[in-house]
Amino acid sequence: MLRILILGCALLGPLSATAQDLALRDAVRLTLERNPQLQGHRFTLSASMARRDQAALRPGVDVSLDTENFLGTNRISSFNDTEITLRLGTVLELGSKRERRITMAERERDVVALTQDAQRLDILADVTRHFVSLLESQHEKALADQAVGLAIRAGEIVKQRVNSGRAAVIEQTNAELATMDARRDLARATTRVSENWAKLAAAWGGTPEQTGRATGELFDLPVIGDFAGLSKLIEQNPDIAKFASERRVAESALRLAEAARTPDLSISAGVRRLQADRSQAAVLSLSVPLGTSGRSRPFEDEARNRLSAVEFEEAARRNQLLATLFGLHQHLLQKRSEFNELRDKAVPLAESAVKATEDGFRAGRFSLFDLTYAQQRLIILRRDAIGAAASFHLLILEIERLTGRSAADMPSQATPIERTSNNAR
């Protein structure tokens, strides 16, 4: 779901500033365009590119001026025997150190890019969660409105029975109290819609007070393949991809530490002025540090151990991801089964029970308690169906996050939540 949306956002037209209906692709597009954290990514990436340029710098050139044999005693108490030397010096790097620094900086930049990709997916996953929650709360609000309608209808039946002398006045009072309870539930559901909109709009800096409406099909549950097929996609998980890049960084650090065995040469050349006989002479110096091989060994050991640690951490993370994926897949199957049973069996039976109870209540065969219980049971089952469908989509989202693939790219899929039909039972 996420990958398709991310790649497809550029194909969408501009979103009207006054639009109240919001599809998931619009929420994703607005987040990509306006989210402050995502906007700051380009500066972090530019900083990592600057570090690559820093690694490519060659050693600078030093200028030095030496003055000898002046302001001493006896013959050299003046400047007559002064020697002045002007030198230009630099360091000659050996062992391909510069090339290895560049390689390491480039691989560190790849890690930064992968980290930003993972952060982008996390933000878009949060957007999707808030969108599903908004869609769920909208269905719950509609359900609360239906509950008010059922309570009002029950109250009308009670009023007819009271007027005809077949029921006590207390039943009318109880019916009015039940209607008041249903209206309070509707008010709470309306508040939840506003809260979920505010959470969603915060992703792109939208105004929370201007409530929008999510459009999507909550009850259309995509079908994905079995666990064996999904487990093969785990290598596309952003964490695994990041481990691969970190392993390459560790390898580059090891190569750079090994290059430190080769000592660098410090060379300088210049001209010396001999004041005593008014003559000049060229000077040349070369220095090589001693013991570089022994000094580099601890750094090599550190880099080698870090490389080994990354490999074991990657293996452990892969095992954790597979276990998590298996659990998500099992919950996904359970939620699909739960939703299908509620939609195809439980809710139709409850609807029939409500109708039969209403008819029996009019005829005096059932009490107000029986009617209220049947209505409440129907509302509860419908709410359970809404919750099961929302949980299913959130599980799909987590599986997409683990596998790095959208539901539409997985085998045996149906149309996901992006469909615009919004019919609920």
Side-chain angles (χ1 to χ4, degrees):
M1 185 190 303
L2 289 178
R3 180 168 296 183
I4 287 180
L5 291 172
I6 293 169
L7 296 178
C9 282
L11 304 178
L12 299 174
L15 183 66
S16 172
T18 60
Q20 295 298 310
D21 289 350
L22 189 77
L24 179 56
R25 63 181 180 274
D26 298 322
V28 169
R29 195 269 308 279
L30 287 170
T31 301
L32 289 173
E33 290 177 351
R34 303 177 186 177
N35 182 271
Q37 184 176 350
L38 296 181
Q39 295 301 309
H41 276 181
R42 65 180 184 272
F43 298 105
T44 304
L45 189 59
S46 295
S48 66
M49 295 174 67
R51 284 193 292 272
R52 189 269 181 202
D53 295 337
Q54 295 170 14
L57 293 175
R58 299 180 183 276
V61 177
D62 300 327
V63 179
S64 63
L65 181 66
D66 299 334
T67 303
E68 301 177 5
N69 300 333
F70 73 100
L71 299 179
T73 59
N74 298 329
R75 189 172 59 85
I76 58 174
S77 61
S78 64
F79 290 92
N80 294 330
D81 294 318
T82 299
E83 295 181 5
I84 301 175
T85 305
L86 178 65
R87 303 173 186 268
L88 296 178
T90 189
V91 176
L92 300 180
E93 290 186 310
L94 304 179
S96 303
K97 294 185 181 67
R98 177 174 175 270
E99 289 76 11
R100 296 186 182 188
R101 281 201 312 272
I102 293 174
T103 300
M104 183 172 176
E106 290 174 343
R107 291 180 175 177
E108 288 177 338
R109 180 187 60 192
D110 293 340
V111 172
V112 170
L114 283 172
T115 301
Q116 290 184 346
D117 288 342
Q119 291 174 349
R120 185 181 301 110
L121 286 176
D122 287 339
I123 291 173
L124 295 182
D126 286 339
V127 169
T128 305
R129 291 188 191 97
H130 293 321
F131 185 89
V132 171
S133 296
L134 177 57
L135 200 59
E136 180 184 12
S137 61
Q138 288 176 179
H139 280 283
E140 290 179 343
K141 178 185 175 183
L143 189 60
D145 191 56
Q146 293 174 20
V148 171
L150 289 174
I152 292 175
R153 189 165 67 190
E156 292 172 350
I157 298 174
V158 170
K159 185 176 181 181
Q160 293 172 2
R161 285 171 52 82
V162 170
N163 291 337
S164 63
R166 293 182 297 167
V169 177
I170 189 61
E171 287 196 355
Q172 185 172 352
T173 302
N174 290 334
E176 291 175 354
L177 290 173
T179 301
M180 294 171 64
D181 289 340
R183 292 189 187 279
R184 284 195 297 272
D185 288 340
L186 177 58
R188 285 191 288 267
T190 302
T191 299
R192 285 195 294 271
V193 170
S194 299
E195 290 175 345
N196 287 325
W197 166 258
K199 292 177 182 178
L200 178 62
W204 64 82
T207 56
E209 66 273 8
Q210 184 180 4
T211 302
R213 177 179 176 272
T215 59
E217 180 48 77
L218 185 67
F219 300 125
D220 189 2
L221 309 186
V223 179
I224 63 174
D226 57 11
F227 174 73
L230 292 176
S231 63
K232 297 177 182 178
L233 304 177
I234 206 69
E235 294 302 320
Q236 299 182 38
N237 179 272
D239 290 343
I240 298 299
K242 184 179 177 181
F243 271 119
S245 294
E246 289 180 347
R247 185 171 61 252
R248 288 191 290 270
V249 170
E251 291 172 349
S252 297
L254 178 58
R255 301 288 88 80
L256 187 61
E258 291 173 344
R261 299 175 187 171
T262 303
D264 297 329
L265 301 180
S266 296
I267 186 171
S268 64
V271 61
R272 174 172 294 172
R273 167 71 175 179
L274 304 174
Q275 187 65 18
D277 54 4
R278 304 293 193 273
S279 61
Q280 291 85 28
V283 294
L284 178 67
S285 66
L286 182 68
S287 64
V288 180
L290 300 177
T292 55
S293 179
R295 292 175 61 84
S296 70
R297 189 171 297 112
F299 298 96
E300 293 179 38
D301 292 340
E302 179 188 6
R304 191 174 292 107
N305 289 325
R306 287 187 179 276
L307 177 58
S308 299
V310 168
E311 293 175 351
F312 283 101
E313 290 171 2
E314 180 181 356
R317 182 58 176 159
R318 184 180 287 105
N319 292 337
Q320 293 173 355
L321 291 174
L322 285 172
T324 302
L325 180 61
F326 180 78
L328 290 172
H329 188 262
Q330 293 299 305
H331 280 88
L332 192 73
L333 297 178
Q334 185 269 325
K335 286 298 178 182
R336 174 184 291 283
S337 175
E338 178 183 340
F339 174 78
N340 288 340
E341 182 173 308
L342 287 167
R343 180 192 60 185
D344 300 334
K345 297 180 181 179
V347 171
L349 283 174
E351 290 171 344
S352 299
V354 168
K355 186 177 183 305
T357 306
E358 284 183 359
D359 295 340
F361 182 67
R362 285 191 180 96
R365 295 193 304 269
F366 296 113
S367 66
L368 177 61
F369 173 80
D370 295 326
L371 178 58
T372 303
Y373 177 81
Q375 291 176 341
Q376 290 177 346
R377 188 62 179 166
L378 174 61
I379 295 300
I380 290 173
L381 290 174
R382 285 177 172 172
R383 185 178 294 116
D384 289 345
I386 293 172
S391 296
F392 183 93
H393 285 292
L394 294 178
L395 289 168
I396 282 283
L397 174 64
E398 293 304 320
I399 290 177
E400 289 178 333
R401 185 69 179 86
L402 285 182
T403 60
R405 296 280 294 275
S406 69
D409 292 335
M410 296 177 189
S412 303
Q413 87 284 351
T415 308
I417 197 174
E418 264 300 297
R419 285 174 53 173
T420 56
S421 174
N422 195 29
N423 298 321
R425 277 191 175 273

